[in-house]
Amino acid sequence: MSQKKFWFGKKKQVDSQSDLTEDNIPRHVAIIMDGNGRWARRRGLPRVAGHHSGMKNVKKITIAADDIGVEILTLYAFSTENWKRPQDEVDYLMSLPQEFFPLEIEELIEKNVRIRMTGWKEGVPGHTLEAVENAIERTKHNTGLILNFAFNYGSRKEMTEAMRAMVRDVQLGKLKPEDITEEEYSNRLQTSGLPDPDLLIRTSGELRISNFMLWQLAYTELWFTDLYWPEFSENHFFEAIREYQNRVRRYGGL
Ligand code: V0D
């Protein structure tokens, strides 16, 4: 079987990936980056310190995904439900995109990473949107890995909006009820144009989907770990990929 060695930069080889097979790398990996607050409390730190640590881990895992040939990495950064958190925590989270870019964007541009966003702009502070849009703009001609931030995202809202768009098109006579198909519906979701995730990783021990890409995850392999997001390393990521490669994907067939 063909084996590939994966290298980080010029020196650091991460050894546990050498048994990944080059074929059958998932095209699209999605991650629910959970456990940042708990990781911090465990260390006697404020929750926001965990979010900062979690942000540092985003670049590391993005580069690892790029190195093995993943095409799309979707990261669940902020849900439509996260607004219910204490205001100072929300404020801190909304400062992360601004912080992320001066620190991480040069390397991501160098790696040919393209940033995109899934979610709604409504309610997101102007300074946060500006940072996100700047990143999207500065990487829009890149042709490498798509780093897709799910930000102010919720799946039921996404599906409700897609339904509203379809009903409107029916009312306008642009779509006949008998022409409503899975494809017509998918095309009205925020993820239109992206393949569905092949693998979903959730850190921090919760065994739930939590309103994340409910439609898109229909045939996705699920992989859970007790590790908190800030301690989830490249080698843990490769472990998830390896297990994915060992599962037989049948799509309901035989
Ligand atoms: C906190 C762990 C990067 C999860 C990762 C406001 C929770 C760190 C971004 C980011 C967050 C998003 C969009 C963008 C550039 C960077 C981010 C949030 C939270 C939500 F264009 N990390 N990060 N955004 N955390």
Side-chain angles (χ1 to χ4, degrees), residues 50 76 111 125-127 151 173-174 198:
Y76 205 0
K111 294 263 177 193
H127 61 92
F151 190 137
K174 291 203 264 179
D198 301 294

Side-chain angles (χ1 to χ4, degrees), residues 32-36 50-58 75-79 82 85 90 92-101 115-117 124 128-129 131-136 147-152 229-230:
I32 301 177
M33 306 180 288
D34 203 5
N36 302 287
H51 295 315
H52 191 266
S53 244
M55 182 193 75
K56 304 299 290 178
N57 207 30
V58 166
L75 300 178
Y76 205 0
F78 194 88
S79 80
N82 287 155
R85 294 193 178 173
V90 169
Y92 182 79
L93 286 166
M94 289 301 150
S95 76
L96 284 179
Q98 279 147 286
E99 219 179 309
F100 183 78
F101 287 108
I115 290 162
R116 68 172 264 181
M117 191 180 140
V124 177
T128 312
L129 266 189
V132 175
E133 277 164 359
N134 177 40
I136 293 172
L147 174 56
N148 180 34
F149 284 105
F151 190 137
N152 194 24
W229 172 249

Side-chain angles (χ1 to χ4, degrees), residues 9-178:
K10 291 193 175 57
K11 305 187 228 47
K12 185 179 161 207
Q13 184 184 19
V14 176
D15 42 58
S16 80
Q17 52 188 329
S18 53
D19 59 339
L20 288 178
T21 51
E22 210 176 328
D23 49 332
N24 206 17
I25 293 285
R27 285 184 72 194
H28 184 177
V29 178
I31 307 182
I32 301 177
M33 306 180 288
D34 203 5
N36 302 287
R38 265 170 287 172
W39 175 88
R41 299 310 313 173
R42 181 67 61 93
R43 282 172 167 64
L45 298 168
R47 287 175 57 80
V48 294
H51 295 315
H52 191 266
S53 244
M55 182 193 75
K56 304 299 290 178
N57 207 30
V58 166
K59 182 174 78 185
K60 219 165 75 182
I61 299 302
T62 302
I63 291 171
D66 182 51
D67 268 13
I68 60 166
V70 169
E71 291 169 47
I72 303 139
L73 180 67
T74 294
L75 300 178
Y76 205 0
F78 194 88
S79 80
T80 47
E81 286 76 38
N82 287 155
W83 297 108
K84 295 181 217 149
R85 294 193 178 173
Q87 189 60 43
D88 54 343
E89 186 174 335
V90 169
D91 290 346
Y92 182 79
L93 286 166
M94 289 301 150
S95 76
L96 284 179
Q98 279 147 286
E99 219 179 309
F100 183 78
F101 287 108
L103 291 174
E104 328 282 352
I105 202 165
E106 294 310 331
E107 195 172 341
L108 293 179
I109 289 175
E110 203 177 297
K111 294 263 177 193
N112 199 22
V113 168
R114 178 172 177 180
I115 290 162
R116 68 172 264 181
M117 191 180 140
T118 294
W120 291 273
K121 294 179 180 180
E122 294 92 74
V124 177
H127 61 92
T128 312
L129 266 189
E130 211 174 287
V132 175
E133 277 164 359
N134 177 40
I136 293 172
E137 181 63 27
R138 284 182 63 192
T139 61
K140 72 177 178 194
H141 298 301
N142 289 355
T143 54
L145 177 129
I146 295 173
L147 174 56
N148 180 34
F149 284 105
F151 190 137
N152 194 24
Y153 171 80
S155 186
R156 288 184 175 181
K157 178 174 166 68
E158 177 190 35
M159 292 196 290
T160 307
E161 295 296 338
M163 167 134 35
R164 191 197 315 281
M166 266 199 322
V167 169
R168 193 173 291 131
D169 285 349
V170 169
Q171 272 188 332
L172 292 170
K174 291 203 264 179
L175 182 71
K176 294 199 284 273
E178 55 272 30

